Amino acid sequence: MQLYHHPYSLDSQKVRLALEEKNIDYTSYHVNPITGKNMDTSFFRMNPRAKLPVLKNGAHIIFNTIEIIQYIERISVVSSGADDMNLSSREVVQWMHKIQQWDPKFFTLDRIPEKYRLYTSKFIRRVVIARMAESPDLASAYHRKLREAYEIEDKLKNPEVLKWSKEHLVRLLDEVETKLNDTAYLAGEEFTMADVMLIPVFSRLKLLDLEDEYISCRPNIAEYWVLMQQRPSYKMVIGNYFDGWRKYKTLLKTWCFVRIRSMLRRY
């Protein structure tokens, strides 16, 4: 079983957390979307949407994050010989979908300094054009990705889009805060795949230095977040890349790659 993912991708973090929590073996392939590796022809042929993560098990390929996590759950049940009672309950699945409805893209991009964001966006567009020239049979699919890149920049200029993203996040966090009044975890007294979906959201807020604004001001979430960061799966999937000085190493490595390849015009 192969997982194509990257630490920058929230959905990748969700799937990797599920794999670690269920103790499922897999082969890891890093595909950095900021350096345009998700546009490489071999990956693009497998997944023309160029989105992460992708789980491949033999001829079976899954792109949808929740579907991947539910597939992992089924593998875990079969491997352990347990019954279907160990699959996520209806409440857990409802929380999974509710969390997945918040798209962190515009919220995140709006908080990246404009000069870095525009530089990286330009680099990725050039990568798409270079891959399009290499694989004319995929030109229409690459052209869609190019148009998508321009549309993202246009939407970032629209204050209503950014306002909606923030309000959506606040509503989600308020609902989580209320739920944690009564339970230790998001869907009850045991850790579930709903918590797996939620942890990367808090991690992104921490990476953007927004803990005080969104986490610390909500006492139940603040206590829950401390507990989540102590889990071995968190340390493996997120902490190894973004806790403390590690986040600077992870970000600097990518930024240097983009700068050097741009200077050399190697896309």
Side-chain angles (χ1 to χ4, degrees), residues 2 36-37 74 79 88-89 93-94 108 118 132 134 143 166 171 173 175 185 207 209 227 229 238 240 252:
Q2 299 91 41
K37 290 299 181 182
R74 290 194 294 272
S79 300
S88 290
S89 66
V93 173
Q94 287 174 343
T108 301
L118 293 177
M132 193 187 305
E134 293 171 0
H143 189 266
K166 180 177 178 178
R171 287 195 302 271
L173 295 181
E175 190 170 352
Y185 297 97
L207 180 64
D209 294 323
L227 184 65
Q229 291 177 89
I238 299 172
N240 280 344
L252 184 61

Side-chain angles (χ1 to χ4, degrees), residues 2-16 29-40 43-44 46-55 62-66 68 100 103-104 145 148:
Q2 299 91 41
L3 179 69
Y4 299 83
H5 67 100
H6 197 272
Y8 290 136
S9 161
L10 245 68
D11 286 344
S12 292
Q13 291 176 0
K14 294 168 185 175
V15 168
R16 283 201 66 212
Y29 294 98
H30 274 202
V31 182
N32 193 334
I34 298 179
T35 60
K37 290 299 181 182
N38 57 326
M39 300 297 172
D40 284 358
F43 183 79
F44 204 70
M46 179 176 65
N47 176 21
R49 293 171 63 247
K51 298 290 181 65
L52 297 172
V54 175
L55 185 74
I62 315 175
F63 311 113
N64 181 278
T65 299
I66 293 178
I68 293 175
Q100 191 65 8
D103 186 348
K145 296 305 296 183
E148 197 177 286

Side-chain angles (χ1 to χ4, degrees), residues 17-264:
L17 285 167
L19 286 163
E20 295 297 330
E21 289 287 343
K22 295 297 183 180
N23 198 27
I24 302 293
D25 291 331
Y26 62 99
T27 303
S28 170
Y29 294 98
H30 274 202
V31 182
N32 193 334
I34 298 179
T35 60
K37 290 299 181 182
N38 57 326
M39 300 297 172
D40 284 358
T41 305
S42 57
F43 183 79
F44 204 70
R45 288 189 188 280
M46 179 176 65
N47 176 21
R49 293 171 63 247
K51 298 290 181 65
L52 297 172
V54 175
L55 185 74
K56 183 178 181 183
N57 192 10
H60 196 45
I61 302 175
I62 315 175
F63 311 113
N64 181 278
T65 299
I66 293 178
E67 289 178 7
I68 293 175
I69 291 175
Q70 291 176 323
Y71 182 76
I72 291 167
E73 278 196 296
R74 290 194 294 272
I75 289 176
S76 177
V77 167
V78 171
S79 300
S80 64
D83 55 39
D84 288 350
M85 292 296 291
N86 288 307
L87 295 174
S88 290
S89 66
R90 178 179 296 180
E91 182 185 6
V92 170
V93 173
Q94 287 174 343
W95 272 110
M96 290 169 69
H97 282 281
K98 192 173 294 186
I99 294 165
Q100 191 65 8
Q101 286 171 1
W102 181 65
D103 186 348
K105 181 191 302 177
F106 297 109
F107 183 87
T108 301
L109 289 174
D110 183 52
R111 282 154 180 81
I112 296 173
E114 187 176 32
K115 67 175 182 178
Y116 297 119
R117 192 188 77 233
L118 293 177
Y119 191 96
T120 304
S121 177
K122 185 177 180 180
F123 174 83
I124 292 173
R125 292 198 301 271
R126 287 177 172 174
V127 169
V128 173
I129 292 169
R131 298 295 89 78
M132 193 187 305
E134 293 171 0
S135 305
D137 59 312
L138 295 173
S140 60
Y142 277 123
H143 189 266
R144 282 195 298 272
K145 296 305 296 183
L146 193 61
R147 186 170 63 247
E148 197 177 286
Y150 282 111
E151 288 173 353
I152 289 172
E153 288 302 322
D154 287 339
K155 286 181 179 180
L156 282 168
K157 298 172 185 176
N158 184 347
E160 290 301 313
V161 171
L162 304 175
K163 179 184 176 184
W164 184 88
S165 180
K166 180 177 178 178
E167 289 176 347
H168 189 169
L169 174 63
V170 169
R171 287 195 302 271
L172 173 63
L173 295 181
D174 287 345
E175 190 170 352
V176 170
E177 176 70 10
T178 300
K179 176 65 177 177
L180 293 176
N181 269 326
D182 305 317
T183 58
Y185 297 97
L186 190 53
E189 298 306 319
E190 294 184 0
F191 185 91
T192 68
M193 293 298 103
D195 301 291
V196 158
M197 296 286 291
L198 186 59
I199 289 171
V201 175
F202 295 151
S203 173
R204 178 56 53 90
L205 294 172
K206 178 181 178 180
L207 180 64
L208 296 172
D209 294 323
L210 294 172
E211 277 187 291
D212 289 344
E213 184 176 348
Y214 291 96
I215 296 177
S216 300
C217 60
R218 295 176 171 87
N220 293 328
I221 286 180
E223 183 179 349
Y224 170 89
W225 177 225
V226 170
L227 184 65
M228 293 302 100
Q229 291 177 89
Q230 295 171 5
R231 297 188 73 86
S233 61
Y234 169 87
K235 294 174 183 177
M236 174 70 72
V237 174
I238 299 172
N240 280 344
Y241 297 96
F242 296 113
D243 277 1
W245 60 269
R246 293 180 182 89
K247 74 174 182 179
Y248 300 106
K249 178 183 176 182
T250 302
L251 296 169
L252 184 61
K253 182 179 178 181
T254 295
W255 178 244
C256 287
F257 180 96
V258 171
R259 288 283 293 179
I260 292 170
R261 297 300 281 262
S262 293
M263 289 170 59
L264 297 175

